[in-house]
Amino acid sequence: MILNPAIITLILVSLLTALFAVYASIIGYRIIRAWNIESGSESQLALERQTYLISSVLTHLFAIGLFAMFFFIYTVDRIHPLFTGAMCAAGSLNVNRYGYPALVVKLAGAVLSGLWLILNHADNQCPDYPLIKTKYRFLFVVTAFCVFDAYLVTQYFLNLKADIITSCCGILFNAEAAGISGKMAALPSIPAKVLFYLSAALTLRSGIHFRITGRSAGLFSCFSGIFFFVSLVSIISFISLYFYELPTHHCPFCLLQKEYRYIGYPLYAALLTAGIAGMSVGLLERVRGPESLEKRLPSLQRRLSLIAMIGCLVFVMISTWPMLFSDFTLEGY
């Protein structure tokens, strides 16, 4: 293991989040079985006190977890000089078999944690906590990802050895490389662009429709999810090429480096915001029903849809900027 304050912090945060999520799930199981807001029994009062504590602590831990995902990428990017052949986070993550699975699970966990925080916020708006059982059932899923994330992050950092030879991003994200990274890099740019801008247009159009009519929340949520996935693929397929101004450089991590003005951080933050806020609109639509929620959910969904649309627009604008204002022409190669 490479001793580094950032690495130790990331391991401790992931372990602490996983342990408390497991504890919260145990309490959540009791709440699902015995919660009765109309009861004044001692056990009900104990459950109410516990859910206040759990809700408050998880809100902070999951918020830290969202930040930890970016800190994880930043850390693995900063340690790349320790490995022969690595030029950025792509090479550091390839040092052992836990690196890329840890990143994927951390990303999925961040999205699920964000959705849980929004569900928890909606539940706390009502005095009768109409979503309390739903959010604790959802917490079981989030907890599973937290535990898996803690395992993979710990294994990844424990198995880092400075004398390992790895591959650089130019090999891992190459059109001729084997695996899904090579397939994404090999996608033809024009169809990829059409799909990217079409998914953005459908997301914004369905968002405007939802804000005007209050209908089709599920459709907007679905398009937001598609936009999130398509954008991740598009970064590797063609967006990163315009920032590097190189027709063969598909790395999604070099965007986070100083040479490219750290443009990856606002780019990924905008995408994560758009994805979580957009998908949460549909999630909240599915839990509508309790009378106490009817007056509060529409305004919350409208705010979230606006946040998602702003995130989508910011991501598209950042991605489009070098296409319009640089001399690089991808289709010329």
Side-chain angles (χ1 to χ4, degrees):
M1 176 182 175
I2 297 173
L3 290 177
N4 180 299
I7 291 175
I8 295 172
T9 301
L10 283 166
I11 292 175
L12 289 177
V13 168
S14 61
L15 289 174
L16 181 63
T17 303
L19 286 173
F20 195 83
V22 170
Y23 170 74
S25 293
I26 294 172
I27 302 300
Y29 177 73
R30 296 176 187 165
I31 289 174
I32 291 171
R33 289 177 58 87
W35 181 267
N36 182 5
I37 192 65
E38 296 179 354
S39 172
S41 65
E42 186 176 345
S43 61
Q44 173 63 23
L45 293 176
L47 288 177
E48 290 180 12
R49 285 195 293 271
Q50 287 174 323
T51 193
Y52 294 146
L53 174 64
I54 289 170
S55 177
S56 177
V57 175
L58 280 182
T59 297
H60 289 86
L61 281 178
F62 285 167
I64 293 172
L66 291 171
F67 171 77
M69 190 192 70
F70 288 95
F71 190 53
F72 174 77
I73 298 172
Y74 172 81
T75 302
V76 296
D77 186 59
R78 297 296 294 176
I79 63 175
H80 79 266
L82 300 175
F83 309 107
T84 304
M87 297 178 68
C88 65
S92 302
L93 290 169
N94 194 51
V95 164
N96 59 48
R97 59 177 176 165
Y98 300 105
Y100 280 99
L103 178 63
V104 172
V105 170
K106 193 171 278 297
L107 176 62
V111 172
L112 291 172
S113 298
L115 294 175
W116 189 90
L117 287 175
I118 293 172
L119 199 61
N120 181 56
H121 174 74
D123 186 48
N124 290 341
Q125 300 302 304
C126 305
D128 58 344
Y129 300 101
L131 301 178
I132 193 160
K133 293 186 179 180
T134 302
K135 75 178 183 184
Y136 278 112
R137 290 191 185 98
F138 189 31
L139 183 62
F140 295 156
V141 180
V142 183
T143 299
F145 274 86
C146 289
V147 172
F148 197 27
D149 171 66
Y151 169 75
L152 290 173
V153 168
T154 304
Q155 288 296 320
Y156 169 67
F157 285 126
L158 287 178
N159 287 282
L160 284 182
K161 294 180 176 56
D163 58 347
I164 291 178
I165 299 175
T166 183
S167 300
C168 70
C169 54
I171 295 176
L172 296 171
F173 294 92
N174 186 292
E176 297 178 356
I180 190 169
S181 62
K183 291 179 181 177
M184 287 190 285
L187 289 174
S189 65
I190 292 179
K193 287 179 181 175
V194 171
L195 184 61
F196 170 67
Y197 285 107
L198 179 63
S199 66
L202 289 173
T203 301
L204 295 173
R205 177 66 183 86
S206 60
I208 294 171
H209 175 77
F210 172 73
R211 288 186 59 79
I212 294 175
T213 66
R215 297 196 298 268
S216 304
L219 187 65
F220 172 63
S221 182
C222 181
F223 282 138
S224 296
I226 292 173
F227 173 74
F228 183 78
F229 176 76
V230 169
S231 296
L232 288 176
V233 176
S234 298
I235 289 172
I236 298 174
S237 173
F238 68 90
I239 291 175
S240 59
L241 304 182
Y242 283 94
F243 287 102
Y244 306 137
E245 299 189 4
L246 286 172
T248 57
H249 196 183
H250 295 268
C251 179
F253 301 107
C254 287
L255 292 171
L256 304 169
Q257 296 185 344
K258 182 180 179 181
E259 290 80 0
Y260 303 101
R261 300 179 178 83
Y262 305 108
I263 193 65
Y265 289 102
L267 190 73
Y268 289 122
L271 181 59
L272 198 61
T273 301
I276 293 175
M279 287 186 276
S280 67
V281 174
L283 176 65
L284 292 177
E285 186 71 13
R286 291 184 62 85
V287 299
R288 288 179 70 165
E291 185 178 349
S292 57
L293 278 175
E294 287 299 323
K295 296 180 181 177
R296 293 176 172 82
L297 276 193
S299 62
L300 178 58
Q301 286 177 297
R302 286 173 59 82
R303 289 199 301 273
L304 288 168
S305 65
L306 180 61
I307 292 171
M309 292 167 64
I310 292 174
C312 176
L313 271 175
V314 170
F315 182 84
V316 172
M317 289 171 63
I318 295 175
S319 302
T320 306
W321 181 271
M323 299 182 201
L324 297 178
F325 299 104
S326 75
D327 297 328
F328 178 72
T329 305
L330 180 60
E331 281 69 34
Y333 293 89

